[in-house]
mmCIF file of all heavy atoms in Angstrom:
data_model
loop_
_atom_site.group_PDB
_atom_site.id
_atom_site.type_symbol
_atom_site.label_atom_id
_atom_site.label_comp_id
_atom_site.label_asym_id
_atom_site.label_seq_id
_atom_site.Cartn_x
_atom_site.Cartn_y
_atom_site.Cartn_z
ATOM 1 N N SER A 1 0.785 -1.210 -0.085
ATOM 2 C CA SER A 1 0.002 0.032 -0.013
ATOM 3 C C SER A 1 0.812 1.309 -0.045
ATOM 4 O O SER A 1 0.477 2.287 -0.601
ATOM 5 C CB SER A 1 -0.967 0.038 1.171
ATOM 6 O OG SER A 1 -0.269 0.044 2.441
ATOM 7 N N LEU A 2 1.962 1.286 0.632
ATOM 8 C CA LEU A 2 2.836 2.380 0.709
ATOM 9 C C LEU A 2 3.575 2.667 -0.614
ATOM 10 O O LEU A 2 3.547 3.741 -1.176
ATOM 11 C CB LEU A 2 3.972 2.289 1.753
ATOM 12 C CG LEU A 2 3.536 2.422 3.253
ATOM 13 C CD1 LEU A 2 4.600 2.048 4.146
ATOM 14 C CD2 LEU A 2 3.010 3.797 3.443
ATOM 15 N N ILE A 3 3.964 1.483 -1.277
ATOM 16 C CA ILE A 3 4.650 1.568 -2.691
ATOM 17 C C ILE A 3 3.586 2.081 -3.608
ATOM 18 O O ILE A 3 3.826 2.952 -4.382
ATOM 19 C CB ILE A 3 5.173 0.274 -2.983
ATOM 20 C CG1 ILE A 3 6.456 -0.112 -2.125
ATOM 21 C CG2 ILE A 3 5.552 0.247 -4.463
ATOM 22 C CD1 ILE A 3 6.850 -1.559 -2.295
ATOM 23 N N ARG A 4 2.345 1.552 -3.659
ATOM 24 C CA ARG A 4 1.243 2.004 -4.471
ATOM 25 C C ARG A 4 0.981 3.488 -4.351
ATOM 26 O O ARG A 4 0.949 4.184 -5.300
ATOM 27 C CB ARG A 4 0.104 1.167 -4.253
ATOM 28 C CG ARG A 4 -1.176 1.631 -5.179
ATOM 29 C CD ARG A 4 -2.435 0.791 -4.806
ATOM 30 N NE ARG A 4 -2.289 -0.560 -5.097
ATOM 31 C CZ ARG A 4 -2.155 -1.569 -4.170
ATOM 32 N NH1 ARG A 4 -2.127 -1.253 -2.741
ATOM 33 N NH2 ARG A 4 -2.017 -2.849 -4.391
ATOM 34 N N TYR A 5 0.891 3.862 -3.059
ATOM 35 C CA TYR A 5 0.589 5.316 -2.751
ATOM 36 C C TYR A 5 1.691 6.318 -3.494
ATOM 37 O O TYR A 5 1.316 7.148 -4.073
ATOM 38 C CB TYR A 5 0.537 5.462 -1.144
ATOM 39 C CG TYR A 5 0.435 7.040 -0.906
ATOM 40 C CD1 TYR A 5 -0.761 7.736 -1.017
ATOM 41 C CD2 TYR A 5 1.596 7.758 -0.434
ATOM 42 C CE1 TYR A 5 -0.806 9.086 -0.750
ATOM 43 C CE2 TYR A 5 1.507 9.146 -0.023
ATOM 44 C CZ TYR A 5 0.302 9.654 -0.240
ATOM 45 O OH TYR A 5 0.247 11.020 0.055
ATOM 46 N N HIS A 6 2.925 5.943 -3.131
ATOM 47 C CA HIS A 6 4.111 6.760 -3.586
ATOM 48 C C HIS A 6 4.274 6.694 -5.153
ATOM 49 O O HIS A 6 4.489 7.847 -5.777
ATOM 50 C CB HIS A 6 5.381 6.396 -2.915
ATOM 51 C CG HIS A 6 5.307 6.697 -1.411
ATOM 52 N ND1 HIS A 6 5.166 8.026 -0.949
ATOM 53 C CD2 HIS A 6 5.546 5.938 -0.441
ATOM 54 C CE1 HIS A 6 5.224 7.953 0.301
ATOM 55 N NE2 HIS A 6 5.345 6.636 0.699
ATOM 56 N N LEU A 7 3.913 5.690 -5.695
ATOM 57 C CA LEU A 7 4.046 5.547 -7.137
ATOM 58 C C LEU A 7 2.969 6.376 -7.869
ATOM 59 O O LEU A 7 3.166 7.219 -8.754
ATOM 60 C CB LEU A 7 3.874 4.080 -7.654
ATOM 61 C CG LEU A 7 5.059 3.218 -7.452
ATOM 62 C CD1 LEU A 7 4.695 1.749 -7.728
ATOM 63 C CD2 LEU A 7 6.294 3.653 -8.410
ATOM 64 N N LEU A 8 1.734 6.309 -7.332
ATOM 65 C CA LEU A 8 0.584 7.157 -7.776
ATOM 66 C C LEU A 8 0.715 8.634 -7.451
ATOM 67 O O LEU A 8 0.415 9.592 -8.170
ATOM 68 C CB LEU A 8 -0.733 6.539 -7.393
ATOM 69 C CG LEU A 8 -1.012 5.277 -7.888
ATOM 70 C CD1 LEU A 8 -2.261 4.705 -7.372
ATOM 71 C CD2 LEU A 8 -1.145 5.250 -9.428
ATOM 72 N N GLN A 9 1.202 8.857 -6.204
ATOM 73 C CA GLN A 9 1.457 10.261 -5.698
ATOM 74 C C GLN A 9 2.472 11.056 -6.619
ATOM 75 O O GLN A 9 2.153 12.161 -6.950
ATOM 76 C CB GLN A 9 1.838 10.307 -4.250
ATOM 77 C CG GLN A 9 1.922 11.600 -3.631
ATOM 78 C CD GLN A 9 0.492 12.246 -3.314
ATOM 79 O OE1 GLN A 9 -0.430 11.488 -3.297
ATOM 80 N NE2 GLN A 9 0.495 13.591 -3.210
ATOM 81 N N ASP A 10 3.406 10.301 -6.894
ATOM 82 C CA ASP A 10 4.473 10.959 -7.797
ATOM 83 C C ASP A 10 4.524 10.351 -9.163
ATOM 84 O O ASP A 10 5.717 9.994 -9.724
ATOM 85 C CB ASP A 10 5.923 10.736 -7.071
ATOM 86 C CG ASP A 10 6.077 11.411 -5.711
ATOM 87 O OD1 ASP A 10 5.474 12.633 -5.684
ATOM 88 O OD2 ASP A 10 6.670 11.045 -4.836
ATOM 89 N N LEU A 11 3.431 10.246 -9.745
ATOM 90 C CA LEU A 11 3.351 9.559 -11.022
ATOM 91 C C LEU A 11 4.092 10.246 -12.054
ATOM 92 O O LEU A 11 4.819 9.402 -12.878
ATOM 93 C CB LEU A 11 1.800 9.578 -11.444
ATOM 94 C CG LEU A 11 1.432 8.754 -12.709
ATOM 95 C CD1 LEU A 11 1.847 7.268 -12.623
ATOM 96 C CD2 LEU A 11 -0.037 8.912 -13.133
ATOM 97 N N SER A 12 4.321 11.467 -12.130
ATOM 98 C CA SER A 12 5.155 12.147 -13.104
ATOM 99 C C SER A 12 6.642 11.712 -13.058
ATOM 100 O O SER A 12 7.302 11.744 -14.027
ATOM 101 C CB SER A 12 5.004 13.672 -13.055
ATOM 102 O OG SER A 12 5.526 14.151 -11.840
ATOM 103 N N ILE A 13 6.982 11.290 -11.827
ATOM 104 C CA ILE A 13 8.434 10.752 -11.740
ATOM 105 C C ILE A 13 8.528 9.242 -11.948
ATOM 106 O O ILE A 13 9.523 8.891 -12.684
ATOM 107 C CB ILE A 13 8.825 11.043 -10.203
ATOM 108 C CG1 ILE A 13 8.833 12.518 -9.873
ATOM 109 C CG2 ILE A 13 10.125 10.291 -9.950
ATOM 110 C CD1 ILE A 13 9.091 12.757 -8.288
ATOM 111 N N HIS A 14 7.372 8.514 -11.731
ATOM 112 C CA HIS A 14 7.561 7.139 -11.742
ATOM 113 C C HIS A 14 6.906 6.416 -12.954
ATOM 114 O O HIS A 14 6.913 5.183 -13.029
ATOM 115 C CB HIS A 14 7.038 6.553 -10.438
ATOM 116 C CG HIS A 14 7.885 6.982 -9.236
ATOM 117 N ND1 HIS A 14 9.264 6.991 -9.146
ATOM 118 C CD2 HIS A 14 7.385 7.668 -8.189
ATOM 119 C CE1 HIS A 14 9.686 7.552 -7.934
ATOM 120 N NE2 HIS A 14 8.519 7.943 -7.306
ATOM 121 N N LYS A 15 6.437 7.187 -13.858
ATOM 122 C CA LYS A 15 5.595 6.632 -14.963
ATOM 123 C C LYS A 15 6.401 5.515 -15.689
ATOM 124 O O LYS A 15 5.997 4.508 -16.021
ATOM 125 C CB LYS A 15 5.166 7.747 -16.016
ATOM 126 C CG LYS A 15 4.121 7.314 -17.009
ATOM 127 C CD LYS A 15 3.690 8.497 -17.718
ATOM 128 C CE LYS A 15 2.696 9.238 -16.947
ATOM 129 N NZ LYS A 15 2.000 10.260 -17.858
ATOM 130 N N ASN A 16 7.644 5.871 -15.991
ATOM 131 C CA ASN A 16 8.456 4.885 -16.789
ATOM 132 C C ASN A 16 8.866 3.652 -15.873
ATOM 133 O O ASN A 16 8.945 2.627 -16.435
ATOM 134 C CB ASN A 16 9.780 5.567 -17.191
ATOM 135 C CG ASN A 16 9.582 6.565 -18.357
ATOM 136 O OD1 ASN A 16 8.695 6.306 -19.130
ATOM 137 N ND2 ASN A 16 10.249 7.606 -18.353
ATOM 138 N N THR A 17 8.970 3.802 -14.669
ATOM 139 C CA THR A 17 9.273 2.689 -13.691
ATOM 140 C C THR A 17 8.139 1.782 -13.579
ATOM 141 O O THR A 17 8.215 0.451 -13.764
ATOM 142 C CB THR A 17 9.597 3.256 -12.249
ATOM 143 O OG1 THR A 17 10.711 4.197 -12.369
ATOM 144 C CG2 THR A 17 9.969 2.161 -11.348
ATOM 145 N N ILE A 18 7.031 2.336 -13.460
ATOM 146 C CA ILE A 18 5.702 1.528 -13.493
ATOM 147 C C ILE A 18 5.603 0.823 -14.766
ATOM 148 O O ILE A 18 5.316 -0.449 -14.871
ATOM 149 C CB ILE A 18 4.347 2.495 -13.273
ATOM 150 C CG1 ILE A 18 4.503 3.062 -11.935
ATOM 151 C CG2 ILE A 18 3.138 1.517 -13.387
ATOM 152 C CD1 ILE A 18 3.480 4.301 -11.706
ATOM 153 N N TYR A 19 5.829 1.476 -15.896
ATOM 154 C CA TYR A 19 5.677 0.786 -17.207
ATOM 155 C C TYR A 19 6.703 -0.319 -17.400
ATOM 156 O O TYR A 19 6.389 -1.489 -17.778
ATOM 157 C CB TYR A 19 5.891 1.836 -18.352
ATOM 158 C CG TYR A 19 5.477 1.237 -19.589
ATOM 159 C CD1 TYR A 19 4.137 1.113 -20.170
ATOM 160 C CD2 TYR A 19 6.493 0.832 -20.456
ATOM 161 C CE1 TYR A 19 3.896 0.657 -21.254
ATOM 162 C CE2 TYR A 19 6.137 0.315 -21.838
ATOM 163 C CZ TYR A 19 4.829 0.182 -22.179
ATOM 164 O OH TYR A 19 4.495 -0.279 -23.307
ATOM 165 N N TYR A 20 7.914 -0.093 -16.885
ATOM 166 C CA TYR A 20 8.992 -1.145 -17.010
ATOM 167 C C TYR A 20 8.586 -2.402 -16.197
ATOM 168 O O TYR A 20 8.740 -3.473 -16.705
ATOM 169 C CB TYR A 20 10.402 -0.624 -16.471
ATOM 170 C CG TYR A 20 11.366 -1.571 -16.251
ATOM 171 C CD1 TYR A 20 12.133 -2.140 -17.470
ATOM 172 C CD2 TYR A 20 11.662 -2.216 -15.012
ATOM 173 C CE1 TYR A 20 13.028 -3.013 -17.284
ATOM 174 C CE2 TYR A 20 12.446 -3.210 -14.880
ATOM 175 C CZ TYR A 20 13.241 -3.685 -16.099
ATOM 176 O OH TYR A 20 14.247 -4.655 -15.977
ATOM 177 N N TRP A 21 8.143 -2.302 -14.950
ATOM 178 C CA TRP A 21 7.931 -3.398 -14.129
ATOM 179 C C TRP A 21 6.582 -4.028 -14.504
ATOM 180 O O TRP A 21 6.348 -5.156 -14.195
ATOM 181 C CB TRP A 21 7.875 -3.024 -12.652
ATOM 182 C CG TRP A 21 9.331 -2.789 -12.120
ATOM 183 C CD1 TRP A 21 10.028 -1.514 -11.989
ATOM 184 C CD2 TRP A 21 10.201 -3.760 -11.692
ATOM 185 N NE1 TRP A 21 11.188 -1.728 -11.509
ATOM 186 C CE2 TRP A 21 11.398 -3.082 -11.197
ATOM 187 C CE3 TRP A 21 10.133 -4.987 -11.531
ATOM 188 C CZ2 TRP A 21 12.592 -3.671 -10.688
ATOM 189 C CZ3 TRP A 21 11.376 -5.763 -11.024
ATOM 190 C CH2 TRP A 21 12.496 -5.054 -10.525
ATOM 191 N N SER A 22 5.738 -3.375 -15.197
ATOM 192 C CA SER A 22 4.364 -3.882 -15.493
ATOM 193 C C SER A 22 4.589 -4.964 -16.633
ATOM 194 O O SER A 22 3.623 -5.750 -16.748
ATOM 195 C CB SER A 22 3.411 -2.731 -15.920
ATOM 196 O OG SER A 22 3.084 -2.001 -14.798
ATOM 197 N N MET A 23 5.589 -4.774 -17.470
ATOM 198 C CA MET A 23 5.688 -5.699 -18.664
ATOM 199 C C MET A 23 4.556 -5.808 -19.385
ATOM 200 O O MET A 23 4.069 -6.994 -19.632
ATOM 201 C CB MET A 23 6.440 -6.928 -18.167
ATOM 202 C CG MET A 23 7.776 -6.790 -17.493
ATOM 203 S SD MET A 23 8.465 -8.364 -16.907
ATOM 204 C CE MET A 23 8.931 -9.066 -18.535
ATOM 205 N N LEU A 24 3.827 -4.718 -19.651
ATOM 206 C CA LEU A 24 2.471 -4.821 -20.390
ATOM 207 C C LEU A 24 2.502 -5.423 -21.676
ATOM 208 O O LEU A 24 1.456 -5.990 -22.189
ATOM 209 C CB LEU A 24 1.929 -3.404 -20.597
ATOM 210 C CG LEU A 24 1.594 -2.753 -19.247
ATOM 211 C CD1 LEU A 24 1.254 -1.189 -19.431
ATOM 212 C CD2 LEU A 24 0.518 -3.389 -18.419
ATOM 213 N N ASP A 25 3.626 -5.671 -22.376
ATOM 214 C CA ASP A 25 3.681 -6.282 -23.656
ATOM 215 C C ASP A 25 3.773 -7.929 -23.491
ATOM 216 O O ASP A 25 3.821 -8.579 -24.547
ATOM 217 C CB ASP A 25 4.928 -5.736 -24.513
ATOM 218 C CG ASP A 25 4.775 -4.318 -24.733
ATOM 219 O OD1 ASP A 25 3.578 -3.906 -25.019
ATOM 220 O OD2 ASP A 25 5.743 -3.674 -24.914
ATOM 221 N N GLU A 26 3.965 -8.398 -22.295
ATOM 222 C CA GLU A 26 4.130 -9.811 -22.027
ATOM 223 C C GLU A 26 2.752 -10.325 -21.666
ATOM 224 O O GLU A 26 2.240 -9.971 -20.657
ATOM 225 C CB GLU A 26 5.189 -10.010 -21.018
ATOM 226 C CG GLU A 26 5.451 -11.393 -20.714
ATOM 227 C CD GLU A 26 5.923 -12.299 -21.773
ATOM 228 O OE1 GLU A 26 6.917 -11.905 -22.552
ATOM 229 O OE2 GLU A 26 5.057 -13.339 -22.049
ATOM 230 N N ASP A 27 2.328 -11.355 -22.319
ATOM 231 C CA ASP A 27 1.014 -11.876 -22.074
ATOM 232 C C ASP A 27 1.176 -12.946 -20.887
ATOM 233 O O ASP A 27 0.099 -13.169 -20.143
ATOM 234 C CB ASP A 27 0.348 -12.544 -23.196
ATOM 235 C CG ASP A 27 -0.166 -11.572 -24.205
ATOM 236 O OD1 ASP A 27 -0.401 -10.427 -23.855
ATOM 237 O OD2 ASP A 27 0.015 -11.762 -25.537
ATOM 238 N N ASP A 28 2.248 -13.712 -20.855
ATOM 239 C CA ASP A 28 2.438 -14.743 -19.916
ATOM 240 C C ASP A 28 3.048 -14.303 -18.727
ATOM 241 O O ASP A 28 4.307 -13.931 -18.769
ATOM 242 C CB ASP A 28 3.227 -15.992 -20.534
ATOM 243 C CG ASP A 28 3.252 -17.117 -19.747
ATOM 244 O OD1 ASP A 28 2.780 -17.187 -18.627
ATOM 245 O OD2 ASP A 28 3.852 -18.244 -20.201
ATOM 246 N N LEU A 29 2.371 -14.273 -17.632
ATOM 247 C CA LEU A 29 3.047 -13.787 -16.309
ATOM 248 C C LEU A 29 4.166 -14.731 -15.785
ATOM 249 O O LEU A 29 4.931 -14.290 -14.953
ATOM 250 C CB LEU A 29 1.969 -13.780 -15.222
ATOM 251 C CG LEU A 29 1.084 -12.381 -15.201
ATOM 252 C CD1 LEU A 29 0.078 -12.498 -14.059
ATOM 253 C CD2 LEU A 29 2.018 -11.144 -14.968
ATOM 254 N N GLU A 30 4.158 -15.853 -16.399
ATOM 255 C CA GLU A 30 5.374 -16.718 -15.915
ATOM 256 C C GLU A 30 6.690 -16.142 -16.412
ATOM 257 O O GLU A 30 7.653 -16.450 -15.913
ATOM 258 C CB GLU A 30 5.094 -18.179 -16.615
ATOM 259 C CG GLU A 30 3.952 -19.018 -15.941
ATOM 260 C CD GLU A 30 4.126 -19.374 -14.529
ATOM 261 O OE1 GLU A 30 5.377 -19.772 -14.243
ATOM 262 O OE2 GLU A 30 3.318 -19.270 -13.750
ATOM 263 N N ASN A 31 6.530 -15.358 -17.537
ATOM 264 C CA ASN A 31 7.867 -14.811 -18.112
ATOM 265 C C ASN A 31 8.007 -13.346 -17.428
ATOM 266 O O ASN A 31 8.918 -12.602 -18.073
ATOM 267 C CB ASN A 31 7.638 -14.687 -19.593
ATOM 268 C CG ASN A 31 7.625 -15.953 -20.267
ATOM 269 O OD1 ASN A 31 8.174 -16.891 -19.741
ATOM 270 N ND2 ASN A 31 6.835 -16.100 -21.361
ATOM 271 N N CYS A 32 7.380 -13.002 -16.433
ATOM 272 C CA CYS A 32 7.525 -11.695 -15.887
ATOM 273 C C CYS A 32 8.100 -11.742 -14.460
ATOM 274 O O CYS A 32 8.473 -12.832 -13.913
ATOM 275 C CB CYS A 32 6.090 -11.078 -15.761
ATOM 276 S SG CYS A 32 5.308 -10.949 -17.234
ATOM 277 N N HIS A 33 8.305 -10.587 -13.824
ATOM 278 C CA HIS A 33 8.902 -10.379 -12.506
ATOM 279 C C HIS A 33 7.798 -10.785 -11.563
ATOM 280 O O HIS A 33 6.624 -10.704 -11.874
ATOM 281 C CB HIS A 33 9.318 -8.987 -12.246
ATOM 282 C CG HIS A 33 10.214 -8.353 -13.329
ATOM 283 N ND1 HIS A 33 11.541 -8.653 -13.265
ATOM 284 C CD2 HIS A 33 9.919 -7.391 -14.190
ATOM 285 C CE1 HIS A 33 12.135 -7.917 -14.293
ATOM 286 N NE2 HIS A 33 11.111 -7.179 -14.883
ATOM 287 N N ALA A 34 8.207 -11.226 -10.345
ATOM 288 C CA ALA A 34 7.253 -11.461 -9.235
ATOM 289 C C ALA A 34 6.299 -10.349 -8.914
ATOM 290 O O ALA A 34 5.265 -10.492 -8.582
ATOM 291 C CB ALA A 34 8.016 -12.117 -8.050
ATOM 292 N N VAL A 35 6.750 -9.148 -9.154
ATOM 293 C CA VAL A 35 6.120 -7.894 -8.822
ATOM 294 C C VAL A 35 5.146 -7.488 -9.845
ATOM 295 O O VAL A 35 4.490 -6.516 -9.702
ATOM 296 C CB VAL A 35 7.087 -6.851 -8.377
ATOM 297 C CG1 VAL A 35 7.722 -6.235 -9.457
ATOM 298 C CG2 VAL A 35 6.362 -5.862 -7.368
ATOM 299 N N THR A 36 5.245 -8.125 -11.124
ATOM 300 C CA THR A 36 4.589 -7.542 -12.221
ATOM 301 C C THR A 36 3.101 -7.428 -12.086
ATOM 302 O O THR A 36 2.507 -6.427 -12.563
ATOM 303 C CB THR A 36 4.891 -8.477 -13.467
ATOM 304 O OG1 THR A 36 6.350 -8.333 -13.789
ATOM 305 C CG2 THR A 36 4.082 -8.104 -14.773
ATOM 306 N N SER A 37 2.350 -8.472 -11.545
ATOM 307 C CA SER A 37 0.861 -8.348 -11.407
ATOM 308 C C SER A 37 0.509 -7.042 -10.619
ATOM 309 O O SER A 37 -0.304 -6.454 -10.892
ATOM 310 C CB SER A 37 0.301 -9.501 -11.032
ATOM 311 O OG SER A 37 0.790 -9.886 -9.673
ATOM 312 N N PHE A 38 1.380 -6.968 -9.413
ATOM 313 C CA PHE A 38 1.146 -5.757 -8.514
ATOM 314 C C PHE A 38 1.325 -4.482 -9.315
ATOM 315 O O PHE A 38 0.546 -3.564 -9.381
ATOM 316 C CB PHE A 38 2.054 -5.907 -7.384
ATOM 317 C CG PHE A 38 2.162 -4.630 -6.564
ATOM 318 C CD1 PHE A 38 1.130 -4.229 -5.713
ATOM 319 C CD2 PHE A 38 3.295 -3.826 -6.663
ATOM 320 C CE1 PHE A 38 1.349 -3.128 -4.910
ATOM 321 C CE2 PHE A 38 3.446 -2.645 -5.903
ATOM 322 C CZ PHE A 38 2.371 -2.313 -5.042
ATOM 323 N N MET A 39 2.294 -4.421 -10.164
ATOM 324 C CA MET A 39 2.710 -3.223 -11.019
ATOM 325 C C MET A 39 1.518 -2.965 -12.019
ATOM 326 O O MET A 39 1.299 -1.869 -12.487
ATOM 327 C CB MET A 39 4.032 -3.338 -11.470
ATOM 328 C CG MET A 39 5.069 -3.262 -10.547
ATOM 329 S SD MET A 39 5.163 -1.773 -9.371
ATOM 330 C CE MET A 39 5.589 -0.576 -10.641
ATOM 331 N N ARG A 40 1.035 -4.012 -12.476
ATOM 332 C CA ARG A 40 -0.062 -3.899 -13.606
ATOM 333 C C ARG A 40 -1.337 -3.366 -12.924
ATOM 334 O O ARG A 40 -1.954 -2.481 -13.585
ATOM 335 C CB ARG A 40 -0.352 -5.330 -14.234
ATOM 336 C CG ARG A 40 0.805 -5.666 -15.245
ATOM 337 C CD ARG A 40 0.371 -7.046 -15.824
ATOM 338 N NE ARG A 40 1.477 -7.338 -16.934
ATOM 339 C CZ ARG A 40 1.382 -8.407 -17.598
ATOM 340 N NH1 ARG A 40 0.323 -9.238 -17.515
ATOM 341 N NH2 ARG A 40 2.311 -8.755 -18.436
#
């Protein structure tokens, strides 16, 4: 909840970081980071 709050609070700073960890171009979560579903 703290990480989510700070990412959204400072979205203009963290937009690229959110996008990177979200791996939105990858369909299979097995090929993603452990944190990817949270970041999505």
Side-chain angles (χ1 to χ4, degrees):
S1 61
L2 288 171
I3 292 168
R4 180 183 296 105
Y5 171 80
H6 292 303
L7 286 168
L8 294 171
Q9 186 73 20
D10 292 329
L11 185 59
S12 66
I13 297 172
H14 302 305
K15 194 176 278 191
N16 289 321
T17 303
I18 296 167
Y19 191 78
Y20 170 81
W21 287 96
S22 296
M23 299 181 73
L24 295 171
D25 295 333
E26 179 58 56
D27 292 330
D28 185 0
L29 277 175
E30 293 291 318
N31 296 327
C32 296
H33 307 286
V35 76
T36 295
S37 59
F38 168 73
M39 295 302 290
R40 285 183 178 183

